[in-house]
Amino acid sequence: MTNEADQMQAEQIATQIQQALLLAEQGDLTGSEALYHKVLEQKPEYPLALYGLAQLAGAIDDQEIKEVLLSQAIEQLVDKTSPEQQSLAATWLTELAEVLFKLNRPIDAMNCLRRCENLIMENLKVPPAC
């Protein structure tokens, strides 16, 4: 794919994510889900689509599915070097910890929070001055 085609695809995906969010806000969870799946067809393992599906699972109180989807979304971000992606992963880790508590898995939840703390600490490190 060329840079122009990549840019067009990125814009299309961003639009689909926004539309999926809007549909979910309007209560059309099925329509929202379909758009997230459409994004995943184009970009498998796309973190924002996985996260959106996790939110939909939470909306219907399916904590097991939410756990799986959140974990997948987080794994797509954890090894990224951008501070924004690391911050997003840390935020999602706190949400995953909450899900794990709801699933009566406090040890897993605490481990999740420790992982979050480590990500935050790494993200806050300031590079040495030259």
Side-chain angles (χ1 to χ4, degrees), residues 7-119:
Q7 180 65 28
M8 286 179 61
Q9 183 185 35
E11 289 173 9
Q12 180 183 21
I13 287 173
T15 299
Q16 289 171 328
I17 294 288
Q18 288 300 317
Q19 288 173 339
L21 287 167
L22 182 61
L23 287 173
E25 286 176 13
Q26 294 171 345
D28 183 359
L29 303 185
T30 304
S32 179
E33 179 184 20
L35 278 172
Y36 286 128
H37 282 293
K38 191 171 181 179
V39 169
L40 291 172
E41 287 173 12
Q42 298 169 68
K43 286 275 245 199
E45 303 298 318
Y46 189 71
L48 291 175
L50 292 168
Y51 179 77
L53 288 172
Q55 295 305 300
L56 295 177
I60 61 169
D61 201 31
D62 190 336
Q63 299 303 315
E64 289 86 5
I65 296 295
K66 186 173 182 177
E67 175 198 359
V68 169
L69 292 165
L70 269 174
S71 295
Q72 290 175 351
I74 291 164
E75 290 311 310
Q76 297 306 310
L77 294 178
V78 166
D79 295 329
K80 306 294 185 200
T81 56
S82 124
E84 293 81 13
Q85 289 171 317
Q86 292 289 307
S87 292
L88 191 54
T91 301
W92 291 352
L93 279 164
T94 61
E95 194 169 330
L96 179 57
E98 181 181 339
V99 168
L100 293 167
F101 275 119
K102 287 179 182 177
L103 292 172
N104 199 27
R105 293 172 42 201
I107 293 172
D108 290 337
M110 290 304 296
N111 289 335
C112 196
L113 291 173
R114 282 188 196 96
R115 192 171 166 204
C116 173
E117 180 182 26
N118 290 338
L119 270 177

Side-chain angles (χ1 to χ4, degrees), residues 81 83 117-128:
T81 56
E117 180 182 26
N118 290 338
L119 270 177
I120 291 168
M121 295 306 290
E122 280 295 313
N123 207 19
L124 291 175
K125 284 185 181 176
V126 177

